C-alpha cells in the first residue's frame, strides 16, 4: 500500500490555451481538483507555495476550504518557504485549517527555492540577523513553529484580561493536537535530509536535488531517504517517519494523452545549474500502463517512500488532471502492489 496524491503548483496564465487564466481560477479549480481526487480514490492534495508569482501563495484559506469540502483525503503543502513566515501566526493558521479538516493537514515546509524577486522575504519584513544567512533564518522560524505546535504555554497572561484565562502560561490558539507530528521538511540535499530526521520532521524529498554525484536521480534520492531514516533512528524519535517523493507520471490511455505527453516517452534526468551549483532533476514518466509499471518498479526512491505525489499540469484543467490520477490508480498502482 502506498499513499498517492497530487502536487499542484497552481499556475495561472491569461492565455487562450490555459484552462486556468486567473488567480480565482487557480484557487477554485484547486478545490475542485481535490474533491475530484478524493472521488477517484487518491490519498492526498498538496500545493506548492510561491510568492510574487502567478501561482498559489497564501495556502491556509485554500487548505481550509478543501478541508471543508472533503472528508478523507490528506491536504498539505509542498512546500512553504519559511523565510517568509511569522511562525506564531502560521501556527494559528495551520491549527485552524487542521481543525476544520479533522486532523488531515500534512504541512510541508522548507528553506525555500529560487525566487521571483531578489530577497523577497525582506518585503515581508523578515531580515536575517547580522552575520547570518536567509537559510539560517528559515531554520530559526522553523524551530519556533515546531516549539509552539507542541501546545505548551509560554506567554505571560494579562492580570486583567478581557476574558477569563485558564491557569498558567498561555499557548497559541487554536491548538490542533497531533499537528506537530505532521510537519514535513522539503529537503534538496543529503545534509538537509539528515537534519530533518534529527529534528523529527517527516521527509518531503525535493523534485530536484542540489547535488550531482553522477548517479541517476532516483538512486541519489534513495540514498537521501536512507540517510534521513538513519538520522531519525539515531535521534531516538518514538513515532515512525513518513517520506514522500514527487514524480511526473502520465499513463497514455487515450488519444489526448498521446497528443499531450507522447513526446515525453524518451524523457531522461536533467542536470543544470541552480544558484551556485549543479542540480539534478528527475525525468518524466510517460507511456502505456505496462511500460510505466516496469519503469516505476525500477525507481528506488519511489520504492523507499510511503507517499508518491504526482506533479500535475494544473493549467490543463480539473477534468484532465482527475483523468490522469484515475488512470494511474486504475491501471498502474494495482500492478505495483500500491493498491
Amino acid at each position: 500500500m502506498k499513499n498517492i496524491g497530487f502536487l499542484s503548483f497552481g499556475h495561472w496564465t491569461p492565455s487562450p490555451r490555459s484552462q486556468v487564466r486567473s488567480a480565482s481560477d487557480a484557487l477554485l479549480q484547486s478545490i475542485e481538483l481535490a474533491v475530484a481526487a478524493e472521488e477517484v480514490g487518491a490519498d492526498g492534495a498538496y500545493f506548492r507555495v510561491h510568492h510574487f508569482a502567478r501561482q498559489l501563495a497564501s495556502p491556509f484559506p485554500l487548505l481550509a476550504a478543501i478541508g471543508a469540502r472533503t472528508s478523507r483525503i490528506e491536504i498539505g503543502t509542498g512546500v512553504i518557504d519559511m523565510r517568509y513566515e511569522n511562525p506564531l501566526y502560521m501556527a494559528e493558521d495551520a491549527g485552524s485549517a487542521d481543525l476544520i479538516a479533522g486532523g488531515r493537514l500534512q504541512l510541508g515546509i522548507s528553506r525555500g527555492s529560487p525566487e521571483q524577486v531578489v530577497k523577497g522575504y525582506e518585503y515581508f519584513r523578515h531580515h536575517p540577523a547580522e552575520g547570518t544567512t536567509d537559510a539560517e533564518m528559515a531554520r530559526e522560524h522553523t524551530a519556533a513553529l515546531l516549539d509552539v505546535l507542541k501546545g505548551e504555554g509560554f506567554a505571560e497572561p494579562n492580570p486583567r484580561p478581557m476574558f477569563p484565562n485558564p491557569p498558567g502560561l498561555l499557548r497559541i490558539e487554536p491548538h490542533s493536537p497531533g499537528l506537530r507530528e505532521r510537519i514535513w521538511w522539503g529537503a534538496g540535499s543529503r545534509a538537509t535530509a539528515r537534519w530533518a530526521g534529527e529534528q523529527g520532521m517527516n521527509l518531503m524529498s525535493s523534485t530536484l536535488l542540489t547535488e550531482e554525484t553522477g548517479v541517476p536521480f532516483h538512486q541519489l534520492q534513495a540514498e537521501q531517504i536512507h540517510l534521513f531514516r538513519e538520522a531519525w533512528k539515531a535521534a531516538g524519535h518514538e513515532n515512525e517517519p513518513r517520506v514522500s517523493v514527487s514524480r511526473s507520471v502520465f499513463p497514455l490511455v487515450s488519444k489526448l494523452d498521446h497528443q499531450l505527453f507522447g513526446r515525453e516517452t524518451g524523457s531522461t534526468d536533467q542536470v543544470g545549474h541552480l544558484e551556485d551549483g549543479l542540480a539534478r532533476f528527475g525525468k518524466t514518466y510517460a507511456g502505456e500502463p505496462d511500460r510505466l509499471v516496469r519503469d516505476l518498479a525500477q525507481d528506488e526512491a519511489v520504492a523507499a517512500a510511503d507517499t508518491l505525489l504526482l506533479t500535475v499540469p494544473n493549467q490543463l484543467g480539473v477534468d484532465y488532471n482527475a483523468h490522469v490520477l484515475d488512470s494511474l490508480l486504475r491501471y498502474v498502482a494495482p500492478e505495483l502492489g500500491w493498491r
Side-chain angles (χ1 to χ4, degrees):
M1 184 69 180
K2 194 180 293 291
N3 288 294
I4 301 173
F6 71 83
L7 173 62
S8 173
F9 281 49
H11 293 281
W12 74 85
T13 306
S15 165
R17 295 185 178 182
S18 175
Q19 298 292 316
V20 188
R21 301 182 187 180
S22 68
S24 177
D25 288 343
L27 289 162
L28 295 175
Q29 289 190 32
S30 293
I31 297 169
E32 295 305 322
L33 180 56
V35 171
E38 182 171 84
E39 290 175 351
V40 301
D43 304 300
Y46 288 73
F47 301 91
R48 188 68 169 89
V49 178
H50 280 116
H51 300 287
F52 299 104
R54 289 178 175 177
Q55 294 174 236
L56 298 173
S58 177
F60 293 108
L62 173 62
L63 296 173
I66 293 172
R69 287 281 307 277
T70 57
S71 61
R72 178 189 57 79
I73 197 168
E74 293 180 341
I75 57 175
T77 53
V79 289
I80 296 174
D81 187 335
M82 291 302 292
R83 294 175 295 181
Y84 286 77
E85 295 299 319
N86 177 319
L88 271 65
Y89 196 83
M90 182 180 179
E92 292 180 344
D93 279 347
S96 297
D98 193 40
L99 290 169
I100 290 170
R104 290 182 282 131
L105 184 62
Q106 303 287 338
L107 197 61
I109 62 177
S110 82
R111 171 262 187 207
S113 59
E115 303 176 89
Q116 295 296 108
V117 299
V118 176
K119 297 182 178 179
Y121 45 86
E122 293 190 354
Y123 292 98
F124 280 57
R125 302 298 186 263
H126 296 298
H127 301 268
E130 186 174 354
T132 66
T133 67
D134 60 326
E136 290 171 316
M137 179 178 67
R139 293 195 181 198
E140 289 173 3
H141 289 178
T142 298
L145 174 69
L146 297 178
D147 191 43
V148 299
L149 287 179
K150 295 175 184 177
E152 299 171 356
F154 62 90
E156 182 180 354
N158 188 334
R160 294 181 296 277
M162 181 178 297
F163 307 105
N165 282 322
L169 299 176
L170 303 182
R171 68 185 184 185
I172 287 292
E173 300 287 1
H175 171 67
S176 186
L179 179 56
R180 169 61 182 86
E181 285 69 49
R182 286 178 274 117
I183 305 299
W184 305 58
W185 184 259
S189 69
R190 290 167 292 182
T192 52
R194 287 194 199 95
W195 180 80
E198 293 166 357
Q199 303 306 310
M201 290 184 283
N202 301 302
L203 177 65
M204 189 169 281
S205 188
S206 177
T207 51
L208 62 89
L209 297 177
T210 55
E211 302 178 286
E212 168 52 24
T213 65
V215 303
F217 178 84
H218 71 100
Q219 292 180 351
L220 183 60
Q221 200 172 41
E223 180 184 353
Q224 182 195 47
I225 294 169
H226 174 72
L227 293 171
F228 162 77
R229 289 196 168 119
E230 281 192 333
W232 181 285
K233 183 177 180 180
H237 302 301
E238 295 182 359
N239 55 316
E240 286 295 317
R242 289 184 61 183
V243 174
S244 74
V245 296
S246 302
R247 293 290 185 271
S248 296
V249 183
F250 299 101
L252 304 182
V253 299
S254 71
K255 182 177 180 180
L256 181 58
D257 295 331
H258 282 275
Q259 290 173 345
L260 291 172
F261 296 103
R263 69 179 71 88
E264 298 291 344
T265 55
S267 176
T268 59
D269 288 357
Q270 299 180 53
V271 177
H273 286 273
L274 183 68
E275 293 185 333
D276 298 324
L278 290 175
R280 181 172 281 270
F281 303 76
K283 66 180 181 180
T284 295
Y285 288 92
E288 305 285 345
D290 56 349
R291 174 180 170 176
L292 291 182
V293 170
R294 292 194 302 270
D295 290 349
L296 288 168
Q298 298 173 17
D299 190 311
E300 295 177 18
V302 170
D306 63 83
T307 299
L308 173 63
L309 300 181
L310 304 175
T311 54
V312 295
N314 74 286
Q315 289 188 88
L316 292 178
V318 173
D319 289 345
Y320 185 75
N321 283 292
H323 159 75
V324 171
L325 291 169
D326 181 64
S327 296
L328 184 129
L329 292 166
R330 185 187 302 267
Y331 303 116
V332 179
E335 298 301 319
L336 288 164
W338 298 347
R339 284 291 187 273

Coordinates of all heavy atoms in Angstrom, one line a residue, residues 154-202:
F154 N 3.5 29.4 27.1 CA 4.8 30.2 27.1 C 4.6 31.7 27.3 O 5.5 32.4 27.7 CB 5.6 29.9 25.8 CG 4.9 30.4 24.6 CD1 5.1 31.7 24.1 CD2 4.0 29.6 23.9 CE1 4.5 32.2 23.0 CE2 3.4 30.1 22.8 CZ 3.6 31.4 22.3
A155 N 3.4 32.2 27.1 CA 3.1 33.6 27.2 C 2.5 34.0 28.5 O 1.5 33.4 29.0 CB 2.2 34.0 26.0
E156 N 3.0 35.1 29.1 CA 2.5 35.5 30.4 C 1.1 36.2 30.2 O 0.9 37.1 29.4 CB 3.5 36.5 31.0 CG 3.0 37.0 32.4 CD 4.0 38.0 33.0 OE1 5.1 38.3 32.4 OE2 3.7 38.6 34.0
P157 N 0.1 35.7 31.0 CA -1.2 36.2 30.8 C -1.3 37.6 31.5 O -0.7 38.0 32.4 CB -2.1 35.2 31.6 CG -1.2 34.6 32.6 CD 0.2 34.6 31.9
N158 N -2.2 38.4 30.9 CA -2.5 39.7 31.4 C -3.3 39.5 32.8 O -4.2 38.8 32.8 CB -3.4 40.4 30.4 CG -3.7 41.9 30.8 OD1 -3.6 42.3 32.0 ND2 -4.0 42.7 29.8
P159 N -2.8 40.2 33.8 CA -3.6 40.1 35.1 C -5.0 40.6 35.1 O -5.8 40.2 35.9 CB -2.7 40.8 36.1 CG -1.9 41.8 35.2 CD -1.7 41.1 33.9
R160 N -5.3 41.4 34.1 CA -6.6 41.9 34.0 C -7.1 41.7 32.5 O -7.3 42.6 31.7 CB -6.7 43.4 34.3 CG -6.4 43.7 35.8 CD -6.5 45.2 36.1 NE -5.4 46.0 35.3 CZ -4.2 46.1 35.7 NH1 -3.8 45.5 36.9 NH2 -3.3 46.8 35.0
P161 N -7.4 40.4 32.2 CA -7.7 40.1 30.8 C -9.1 40.5 30.5 O -10.0 40.6 31.3 CB -7.5 38.6 30.7 CG -7.8 38.2 32.1 CD -7.3 39.2 33.0
M162 N -9.4 40.6 29.2 CA -10.8 40.9 28.7 C -11.7 39.7 29.0 O -12.8 39.8 29.3 CB -10.7 41.2 27.2 CG -12.1 41.5 26.6 SD -12.1 42.0 24.9 CE -11.1 43.5 24.9
F163 N -11.1 38.5 28.8 CA -11.9 37.2 29.1 C -11.1 36.4 30.0 O -9.8 36.5 30.1 CB -12.1 36.4 27.7 CG -12.7 37.3 26.7 CD1 -11.9 37.7 25.6 CD2 -14.0 37.6 26.7 CE1 -12.5 38.5 24.6 CE2 -14.6 38.3 25.7 CZ -13.8 38.8 24.6
P164 N -11.7 35.5 30.8 CA -11.0 34.7 31.8 C -10.0 33.8 31.1 O -10.3 33.2 30.0 CB -12.1 33.8 32.4 CG -13.4 34.6 32.2 CD -13.2 35.3 30.9
N165 N -8.8 33.6 31.7 CA -7.8 32.7 31.2 C -7.7 31.4 31.9 O -8.1 31.4 33.1 CB -6.4 33.4 31.3 CG -6.2 34.5 30.2 OD1 -6.6 34.3 29.1 ND2 -5.5 35.5 30.6
P166 N -7.3 30.3 31.3 CA -7.0 29.1 32.0 C -5.8 29.4 32.9 O -5.0 30.3 32.7 CB -6.7 28.1 30.9 CG -6.3 28.9 29.7 CD -7.1 30.2 29.8
P167 N -5.5 28.5 33.9 CA -4.4 28.8 34.7 C -3.0 28.6 34.0 O -3.0 27.8 33.0 CB -4.5 27.7 35.8 CG -5.4 26.6 35.2 CD -6.3 27.4 34.3
G168 N -2.0 29.3 34.5 CA -0.7 29.1 33.9 C -0.4 30.0 32.7 O -1.2 30.9 32.3
L169 N 0.7 29.7 32.1 CA 1.1 30.4 30.9 C 0.2 30.0 29.7 O -0.4 28.9 29.7 CB 2.6 30.1 30.5 CG 3.6 30.5 31.6 CD1 5.0 30.0 31.1 CD2 3.6 32.0 31.8
L170 N 0.0 30.9 28.7 CA -0.9 30.7 27.6 C -0.1 30.2 26.4 O 1.0 30.6 26.2 CB -1.6 32.0 27.3 CG -2.4 32.6 28.5 CD1 -3.2 33.8 28.0 CD2 -3.4 31.6 29.1
R171 N -0.8 29.4 25.6 CA -0.3 28.9 24.4 C -1.0 29.5 23.2 O -2.0 30.3 23.3 CB -0.5 27.4 24.3 CG -1.9 27.0 24.2 CD -2.1 25.5 24.2 NE -3.5 25.0 24.0 CZ -3.9 23.8 24.1 NH1 -3.0 22.8 24.5 NH2 -5.2 23.5 23.9
I172 N -0.4 29.2 22.0 CA -1.1 29.7 20.7 C -2.4 28.9 20.6 O -2.5 27.7 20.8 CB -0.2 29.4 19.5 CG1 1.0 30.4 19.5 CG2 -1.0 29.4 18.2 CD1 0.6 31.8 19.2
E173 N -3.5 29.6 20.2 CA -4.8 29.0 20.0 C -5.2 29.5 18.6 O -4.9 30.6 18.1 CB -5.8 29.5 21.0 CG -5.5 29.1 22.5 CD -5.6 27.6 22.8 OE1 -6.0 26.9 21.9 OE2 -5.4 27.2 23.9
P174 N -6.0 28.6 17.9 CA -6.4 27.3 18.3 C -5.2 26.3 18.2 O -4.4 26.4 17.2 CB -7.5 26.9 17.4 CG -7.2 27.7 16.1 CD -6.5 29.0 16.6
H175 N -5.2 25.3 19.1 CA -4.2 24.3 19.1 C -4.8 23.0 18.5 O -5.9 22.6 18.9 CB -3.6 24.0 20.5 CG -2.8 22.8 20.6 ND1 -1.5 22.8 20.0 CD2 -2.9 21.6 21.2 CE1 -1.0 21.6 20.2 NE2 -1.8 20.8 20.9
S176 N -4.1 22.4 17.6 CA -4.6 21.2 17.0 C -3.6 20.0 17.4 O -2.5 19.9 16.9 CB -4.6 21.3 15.5 OG -5.2 20.1 14.9
P177 N -4.1 19.1 18.3 CA -3.2 18.0 18.8 C -2.8 17.2 17.6 O -3.6 16.8 16.7 CB -4.2 17.3 19.7 CG -5.2 18.3 20.1 CD -5.4 19.1 18.9
G178 N -1.5 16.8 17.6 CA -1.0 15.9 16.6 C -0.4 16.6 15.4 O 0.3 15.9 14.6
L179 N -0.6 17.9 15.2 CA -0.1 18.5 14.0 C 1.4 18.6 14.0 O 2.0 18.5 13.0 CB -0.7 20.0 14.0 CG -0.2 20.8 12.8 CD1 -0.5 20.1 11.4 CD2 -0.9 22.2 12.8
R180 N 2.0 18.7 15.2 CA 3.5 18.7 15.2 C 4.1 17.4 14.6 O 5.1 17.5 13.9 CB 4.0 18.7 16.7 CG 5.5 18.5 16.9 CD 6.3 19.5 16.2 NE 7.7 19.2 16.4 CZ 8.4 18.4 15.6 NH1 7.9 17.7 14.7 NH2 9.7 18.3 15.9
E181 N 3.4 16.3 14.7 CA 3.9 15.1 14.0 C 3.6 15.0 12.6 O 4.0 14.1 11.9 CB 3.3 13.8 14.7 CG 3.9 13.5 16.1 CD 3.5 14.5 17.1 OE1 2.3 14.9 17.2 OE2 4.4 15.0 17.9
R182 N 2.9 16.0 12.0 CA 2.6 16.0 10.6 C 3.2 17.2 9.9 O 2.7 17.7 8.9 CB 1.0 16.0 10.4 CG 0.4 14.7 10.8 CD -1.1 14.7 10.7 NE -1.7 15.1 11.9 CZ -2.5 16.2 12.1 NH1 -2.7 17.0 11.0 NH2 -3.0 16.5 13.2
I183 N 4.4 17.6 10.4 CA 5.2 18.6 9.7 C 6.3 17.9 8.9 O 7.0 16.9 9.4 CB 5.9 19.5 10.7 CG1 4.8 20.2 11.6 CG2 6.7 20.6 10.0 CD1 3.8 21.0 10.9
W184 N 6.5 18.3 7.6 CA 7.4 17.7 6.7 C 8.5 18.7 6.3 O 8.1 19.9 6.1 CB 6.8 17.2 5.4 CG 5.6 16.2 5.6 CD1 4.5 16.4 6.3 CD2 5.5 14.9 5.0 NE1 3.7 15.3 6.2 CE2 4.3 14.4 5.5 CE3 6.4 14.1 4.2 CZ2 3.9 13.1 5.1 CZ3 5.9 12.9 3.8 CH2 4.7 12.4 4.3
W185 N 9.7 18.3 6.1 CA 10.7 19.2 5.6 C 11.1 18.9 4.2 O 11.4 17.7 3.9 CB 12.0 19.2 6.5 CG 13.0 20.2 6.1 CD1 14.2 19.9 5.4 CD2 13.0 21.6 6.4 NE1 14.9 21.1 5.2 CE2 14.2 22.1 5.9 CE3 12.2 22.4 7.2 CZ2 14.5 23.5 6.0 CZ3 12.5 23.7 7.3 CH2 13.7 24.3 6.7
G186 N 11.0 19.9 3.3 CA 11.4 19.7 1.9 C 12.9 19.8 1.8 O 13.5 20.9 1.9
A187 N 13.5 18.6 1.6 CA 15.0 18.6 1.6 C 15.5 18.4 0.2 O 15.0 17.5 -0.6 CB 15.5 17.4 2.4
G188 N 16.5 19.2 -0.2 CA 17.0 19.2 -1.5 C 18.5 18.6 -1.6 O 19.1 18.6 -2.6
S189 N 18.9 18.1 -0.4 CA 20.2 17.5 -0.3 C 20.3 16.4 0.7 O 19.4 16.3 1.5 CB 21.3 18.6 0.0 OG 21.1 19.1 1.3
R190 N 21.4 15.7 0.7 CA 21.5 14.7 1.8 C 21.7 15.3 3.1 O 21.1 14.8 4.1 CB 22.7 13.7 1.4 CG 22.4 12.9 0.2 CD 23.7 12.2 -0.3 NE 24.6 13.2 -0.9 CZ 25.7 12.9 -1.5 NH1 26.1 11.6 -1.6 NH2 26.5 13.8 -2.0
A191 N 22.4 16.4 3.2 CA 22.6 17.0 4.5 C 21.3 17.5 5.1 O 21.1 17.4 6.3 CB 23.6 18.2 4.4
T192 N 20.5 18.1 4.3 CA 19.2 18.7 4.9 C 18.3 17.5 5.2 O 17.4 17.7 6.1 CB 18.5 19.6 3.9 OG1 18.4 19.0 2.6 CG2 19.3 20.9 3.7
A193 N 18.4 16.4 4.5 CA 17.6 15.2 4.9 C 18.0 14.7 6.3 O 17.1 14.4 7.1 CB 17.7 14.1 3.8
R194 N 19.3 14.7 6.5 CA 19.7 14.2 7.8 C 19.2 15.2 8.9 O 18.8 14.8 10.0 CB 21.3 14.2 7.9 CG 22.0 13.1 7.1 CD 23.4 13.0 7.5 NE 24.2 12.3 6.6 CZ 24.9 12.9 5.6 NH1 24.9 14.2 5.4 NH2 25.6 12.1 4.7
W195 N 19.3 16.5 8.6 CA 18.8 17.5 9.6 C 17.4 17.3 9.9 O 16.9 17.4 11.1 CB 19.1 18.9 9.1 CG 18.7 20.0 10.0 CD1 19.3 20.4 11.1 CD2 17.5 20.8 9.9 NE1 18.6 21.5 11.7 CE2 17.5 21.7 11.0 CE3 16.4 20.8 9.0 CZ2 16.4 22.6 11.2 CZ3 15.4 21.7 9.2 CH2 15.4 22.5 10.3
A196 N 16.6 17.1 8.9 CA 15.1 16.9 9.1 C 14.9 15.7 10.0 O 14.0 15.7 10.9 CB 14.4 16.7 7.7
G197 N 15.6 14.6 9.8 CA 15.5 13.4 10.6 C 15.9 13.7 12.1 O 15.2 13.3 13.0
E198 N 16.9 14.5 12.3 CA 17.3 14.8 13.6 C 16.2 15.7 14.3 O 16.0 15.5 15.5 CB 18.6 15.6 13.6 CG 19.8 14.8 13.1 CD 21.0 15.7 12.7 OE1 20.9 16.9 12.8 OE2 22.1 15.1 12.4
Q199 N 15.5 16.5 13.6 CA 14.5 17.4 14.1 C 13.2 16.7 14.3 O 12.3 17.3 14.9 CB 14.3 18.6 13.2 CG 15.6 19.4 13.0 CD 16.3 19.9 14.2 OE1 15.6 20.4 15.1 NE2 17.6 19.6 14.3
G200 N 13.0 15.5 13.8 CA 11.8 14.8 14.0 C 10.7 15.3 13.0 O 9.5 15.2 13.4
M201 N 11.1 15.8 11.9 CA 10.1 16.1 10.8 C 10.1 15.0 9.8 O 11.2 14.4 9.5 CB 10.5 17.5 10.2 CG 10.3 18.6 11.1 SD 10.6 20.2 10.3 CE 12.4 20.2 10.3
N202 N 9.0 14.8 9.2 CA 8.9 13.9 8.0 C 9.7 14.4 6.9 O 10.0 15.6 6.8 CB 7.4 13.6 7.6 CG 6.6 13.1 8.8 OD1 6.9 12.0 9.3 ND2 5.6 13.8 9.2

